Amino acid sequence: MRKIVALVLLFLFGCSNIVLKKEVKEKIPFKIKKGDYKIVLNHIKYPTKYEEKEVFFKKFDLFLKKSLLENKKDIILFDMSFFKDYEEIENSGLLPEEKILTKVASSLNEEEKKKLLELNKKKYIEKDPVQVILKNQILKLKNILEDSTFDESKIYTELDKEELINLLRNKRKILTKVIKKSKIEMVALIKNPYKKIDKIKRKYYTKDINLNVKTDLREDIKKYKYPILIENLKDSDFKLISNSEINLNNKIIILKNSKYVGYDYYKGNYIFYYGGVEKHYLYNDYNINVIYKDVTLRKLLRNSEGITFKELIGG
């Protein structure tokens, strides 16, 4: 009898290190219910010529304000040239080509004077050459601001110009605020993810400092705060990124490839695939596909489709 009691006590207290296996349920990193979803990347062509950029930003400003009023939700895909110009607008309120308008008229060199005259395509005959430059600067600023009060006979000052520059900067500042308030999301299209390397040095690669992985991907890819779509990846780099062996510091990465559609998720980072055939959905019954479309701002204003990243993952 004592042996039986001892065995029972041993079983109850001597086996306290046994842990029952718990059912671990992985938390789904989406804010949506199960189902089929599509993320539509609306590619808007961004112009290269300054005159066309000027027109584009007027249309973009109108598009954003209407989208805000109508509570529209869209994802716009822009080439990197847009983001470079937009960064300049965020920092200075001006496009790179417009910085010549802020310079003191008397300080412009011959090359700068030539560029300024190209902006307006109009020349004034003045005894004072400085006044010619100043009038061209002011005329351009008034045109951008859609101000028709330019007076050829008036003697303008640098103070007159400064007032116009401040008006333009404030106008552009409003544009950046509207973007942030609206539900329009932007994605950066990286068509060439590789740095230019001299043929003699082609065999050498740049190391990814964070993960000690060899790759010749451009270092500046890591700095973008927006979601990025990368095209023209080598198979080796596609595998490194999809396996999270390269830290690109982007929460949302989209990879164009010829094999997969779907997505992966790893430690707070989302990787989406488009362009392929084989379906790869990390979570059952969450079928999320990326679709690419070439559109115009006018067409996008009339028709929206798909789910946005904020709707998908929050934030």
Side-chain angles (χ1 to χ4, degrees):
M1 183 66 180
R2 289 180 179 177
K3 288 183 179 180
I4 294 173
V5 172
L7 287 171
V8 171
L9 291 173
L10 178 64
F11 178 79
L12 290 175
F13 299 103
C15 301
S16 59
N17 61 332
I18 295 177
V19 179
L20 294 176
K21 185 178 180 181
K22 295 182 180 179
E23 184 181 357
V24 179
K25 291 185 178 180
E26 186 177 3
K27 185 179 179 181
I28 303 297
F30 299 130
K31 303 294 183 182
I32 54 174
K33 296 178 180 179
K34 293 180 180 180
D36 297 333
Y37 298 91
K38 59 181 178 180
I39 298 168
V40 180
L41 304 179
N42 298 285
H43 180 239
I44 302 289
K45 186 178 180 181
Y46 183 64
T48 55
K49 295 181 179 179
Y50 169 69
E51 295 81 5
E52 294 173 354
K53 289 181 185 180
E54 194 181 330
V55 174
F56 171 84
F57 274 102
K58 287 177 182 177
K59 291 181 179 179
F60 191 42
D61 182 53
L62 183 62
F63 168 83
L64 290 168
K65 288 174 180 175
K66 285 186 176 180
S67 296
L68 185 61
L69 288 172
E70 297 173 12
N71 199 33
K72 283 176 61 62
K73 302 173 184 178
D74 289 297
I75 299 175
I76 299 181
L77 178 67
F78 281 121
D79 296 341
M80 286 312 308
S81 56
F82 168 84
F83 287 95
K84 288 177 181 177
D85 284 349
Y86 184 69
E87 187 177 355
E88 286 288 343
I89 288 175
E90 282 188 310
N91 294 334
S92 68
L94 302 170
L95 288 166
E97 297 92 338
E98 294 167 345
K99 289 185 177 181
I100 196 171
L101 302 175
T102 67
K103 290 193 171 186
V104 176
S106 60
S107 70
L108 267 64
N109 58 38
E110 291 304 314
E111 184 65 26
E112 290 171 328
K113 290 176 185 177
K114 184 179 178 181
K115 287 182 180 179
L116 176 63
L117 293 175
E118 287 174 355
L119 288 180
N120 274 328
K121 295 180 180 177
K122 189 170 184 179
K123 296 180 181 180
Y124 294 100
I125 300 172
E126 293 275 355
K127 291 181 180 179
D128 183 358
V130 174
Q131 190 65 203
V132 173
I133 299 303
L134 188 56
K135 280 187 175 181
N136 274 281
Q137 288 176 317
I138 287 174
L139 175 61
K140 187 60 190 177
L141 286 164
K142 282 182 175 286
N143 286 340
I144 298 170
L145 293 165
E146 298 179 312
D147 180 346
S148 59
T149 62
F150 181 78
D151 184 356
E152 291 186 30
S153 62
K154 181 179 176 179
I155 302 299
Y156 285 99
T157 66
E158 288 289 340
L159 183 60
D160 294 324
K161 185 178 73 177
E162 188 65 29
E163 290 175 358
L164 293 171
I165 291 169
N166 289 335
L167 284 173
L168 178 56
R169 281 179 168 150
N170 288 335
K171 185 177 181 179
R172 295 272 173 76
K173 189 176 181 181
I174 291 171
L175 182 142
T176 60
K177 284 184 177 180
V178 173
I179 288 179
K180 291 171 183 175
K181 284 185 178 180
S182 74
K183 294 180 180 178
I184 301 298
E185 299 174 21
M186 298 191 293
V187 176
L189 173 58
I190 301 174
K191 293 182 179 179
N192 181 16
Y194 297 100
K195 62 182 69 178
K196 292 181 180 179
I197 303 175
D198 190 281
K199 290 182 179 179
I200 299 174
K201 298 179 180 179
R202 179 64 64 178
K203 64 180 181 179
Y204 297 104
Y205 292 87
T206 300
K207 282 189 176 182
D208 183 292
I209 298 172
N210 293 332
L211 296 175
N212 200 31
V213 176
K214 290 182 179 180
T215 177
D216 56 353
L217 285 169
R218 283 164 33 196
E219 283 290 323
D220 62 342
I221 289 177
K222 298 178 185 179
K223 75 175 185 178
Y224 300 122
K225 59 184 178 181
Y226 298 97
I228 57 175
L229 164 60
I230 308 178
E231 295 185 347
N232 303 310
L233 274 174
K234 297 175 184 176
D235 289 343
S236 57
D237 288 321
F238 175 84
K239 289 178 182 177
L240 288 173
I241 296 173
S242 60
N243 291 331
S244 298
E245 294 180 50
I246 294 180
N247 181 13
L248 294 181
N249 300 328
N250 295 85
K251 187 175 182 179
I252 298 171
I253 300 169
I254 307 154
L255 303 179
K256 183 179 180 181
N257 70 105
S258 59
K259 187 173 182 180
Y260 297 110
V261 294
Y263 62 90
D264 268 315
Y265 173 78
Y266 180 73
K267 291 186 177 180
N269 295 319
Y270 299 80
I271 299 176
F272 296 91
Y273 310 109
Y274 100 95
V277 177
E278 186 178 333
K279 294 178 180 178
H280 178 83
Y281 306 124
L282 185 61
Y283 300 101
N284 293 331
D285 301 320
Y286 287 86
N287 304 325
I288 305 167
N289 292 299
V290 172
I291 297 172
Y292 175 105
K293 290 177 65 177
D294 284 308
V295 297
T296 62
L297 288 173
R298 180 181 291 183
K299 188 180 290 185
L300 186 57
L301 199 57
R302 292 197 304 263
N303 182 36
S304 297
E305 58 179 322
I307 189 171
T308 64
F309 289 117
K310 285 185 179 179
E311 290 175 308
L312 182 66
I313 64 177

